[in-house]
Amino acid sequence: MLRLINQKRVLILLAGLLLVSSFLPSRLAFPLAAGPAHTLILFLAPPSDVLKRIGDRVRRPPLDAAHEDAAQVRRDRDKLLQYSRRLEQEVFEARQAIDQLTRMSRNPELAGIKFIPASVTAWPPGGAPALELNRGSRDGLEPGMVVVSDMNLVGTLAQVGPMSATVRLVNTPGSVVGVRIVPPVAGPAGPGVVARATVSPNGQEFWAESVDADKVKPGDLAHLDDKLLPPEARAFVVGRVSRIEPLPQDPLLRRRVVFSPIESLVHLGQVFVIMPVRAQGNPLAPNR
Amino acid sequence: MRWLFFAIFAYLALALDLGLRSLLAIDAGVGPITPSLTLILAVYVGLWAPSRAVAWAFLILGAATDLLSFWPASDPGQPLGNILGPTALAYLVGAYAIIQIRGFVYRESTLAMAVVAFGVGAVIHLVAMLLLTLRGLPFPLGEPIPNWHVADEFIRRFLSLLYTAVAAVPVGMAFNRIYPGAWIDPLKGAHTFRR
């Protein structure tokens, strides 16, 4: 029997066993090799653990660099926070624009009117009644076009360049604008009270003096009604009546209606330029 | 063959392979590549030792490599484990290969050792990959190794072989300073290799 056993045959036998072991399912192969593997690793542990510690120390940065990593983590976090806030602001502005467009789309008087969205790029210092927009003649803008925000009148285009435009705000001191004061009802406004309003010296309010103040009450809306402006702009609101007060020049007999813009005109971010119906289809066609 | 010396050097090679893995590893995109000091030792023994001793030495080193390699189980809930066999058999085939070619190699040359390490290592890795890939065939087992991609594994092992061949130069220089008589009993006539 012992003559049958030699190194070659033992090698062949071991090779056969290893071949079978190579094709055992993991639920059998793993337990089979677990014991020898753990024994071998335990046997190799003393030098290999030392070498692992040396290797980790060489590869990993020291404690001071770990603090730098923490500082870098804080910087990355701050950058992401800023980015997140920018995104939130953009989402907020987008939602506002959606709300505006929704309200505008529901107004039947605006059917057939084309709106060109524009962003406000500059607010003149000192609260001067003008805005700069990022659209110009290349987008079909022309001087005199009405600029609105939501359903509120902002002003008219004073100067138009190729890629920018200046808006003369409706509350420019010295301006006079025709309005029609109506109660705040949904849908098209009724006949209301027609008046000519002037801008107060500080530019914050409109004063309508020659008006039948008995028919007006606080909260009423002053819609644009000026023949010098395009007819499609008449659906838009100039301001809301804030009070009715005695006229300083004739306090006993006359009163003036004071109304102010619904939203601040110098803090706008997104506005719309109304393209007159006759100019649609040809952005470069003359206005009137 | 003086097995005590072999045991000492095998222990050192395996300990260095295990301990310096994290230090010497290079991320190649398909996984970390590391040099194999065990393979370099096997090649050195293969160049100098008698054939029968080469076979046993390769088998032992291959089995040890299997026991130090961990694979994921087919059941995701199970921990990693070892499969004893593929690398051991691959080393056995590598032993046969080195026995065939060592007659044509100038054994004292470090460069030759690096080239032989690359060549024999290629044979070993191809056989190991074949056996591990065959586990995924419907017959006989039908249990592929999770996340086993032959192409990625091929590239990773090839790059590891290159790394090993480069490492074989300094290690081979160190080995060549050891008189082969320390390994081989001169009374056995080791310098007349029998195939």
Side-chain angles (χ1 to χ4, degrees), chain A residues 135-160:
Chain A
R135 300 276 195 176
S137 56
R138 290 186 185 179
D139 302 296
L141 270 58
E142 294 171 0
M145 283 185 175
V146 174
V147 180
V148 299
S149 169
D150 200 347
M151 290 302 295
N152 305 311
L153 179 69
V154 175
T156 54
L157 293 179
Q159 295 174 352
V160 178

Side-chain angles (χ1 to χ4, degrees), chain A residues 61-130:
Chain A
L63 193 58
D64 291 338
H67 284 303
E68 290 177 4
D69 288 343
Q72 181 63 36
V73 167
R74 281 194 290 275
R75 282 193 291 271
D76 290 343
R77 183 205 62 184
D78 292 340
K79 279 184 195 172
L80 284 173
L81 274 175
Q82 286 176 359
Y83 179 61
S84 169
R85 286 183 194 125
R86 276 203 305 274
L87 286 179
E88 285 174 5
Q89 179 63 25
E90 286 180 17
V91 167
F92 174 72
E93 288 172 3
R95 285 190 179 141
Q96 278 194 319
I98 290 170
D99 292 340
Q100 285 185 28
L101 291 172
T102 303
R103 282 192 289 271
M104 289 159 73
S105 66
R106 288 175 185 162
N107 193 324
E109 294 185 24
L110 300 179
I113 296 177
K114 185 175 179 181
F115 296 91
I116 301 174
S119 296
V120 177
T121 55
W123 297 266

Side-chain angles (χ1 to χ4, degrees), chain A residues 7 10-11 14-15 18-19 21-26 29-30 33 36-37 40-41 43-44 46-48 51-52 55-56 58-59, chain B residues 11 15-16 18-19 22-23 25 52 55-56 59 64 67-68 70-71 73-74 81-86 88-89 134-135 141 143:
Chain A
Q7 287 193 31
V10 171
L11 268 175
L14 281 175
L18 287 170
L19 188 64
S21 170
S22 299
F23 291 99
L24 286 176
S26 55
F30 285 7
L40 180 63
I41 291 173
F43 190 53
L44 294 172
S48 65
L51 291 169
K52 270 183 199 169
D56 288 344
V58 170
R59 273 271 168 127
Chain B
Y11 179 82
L16 285 168
L18 193 60
S22 59
L23 179 62
R52 205 60 56 81
W56 282 106
L59 187 65
L67 294 175
L68 296 178
F70 291 86
W71 301 100
S74 56
N82 311 91
I83 302 173
L84 181 60
L89 285 172
L134 286 176
R135 285 178 62 89
L141 184 58
E143 187 186 280

Side-chain angles (χ1 to χ4, degrees), chain A residues 216-232:
Chain A
V216 179
K217 59 184 182 300
D220 287 353
L221 296 177
H223 286 260
L224 184 68
D225 190 351
D226 195 321
K227 293 179 182 175
L228 297 178
L229 293 175
E232 51 270 1

Side-chain angles (χ1 to χ4, degrees), chain B residues 144-182:
Chain B
I145 295 173
N147 301 320
W148 174 262
H149 300 289
V150 176
D152 287 349
E153 196 66 20
F154 183 84
I155 294 171
R156 189 183 67 80
R157 288 178 184 244
F158 174 76
L159 293 174
S160 291
L161 260 184
L162 284 178
Y163 200 170
T164 303
V166 170
V169 174
V171 176
M173 282 181 185
F175 274 141
N176 282 336
R177 293 194 173 272
I178 302 171
Y179 176 56

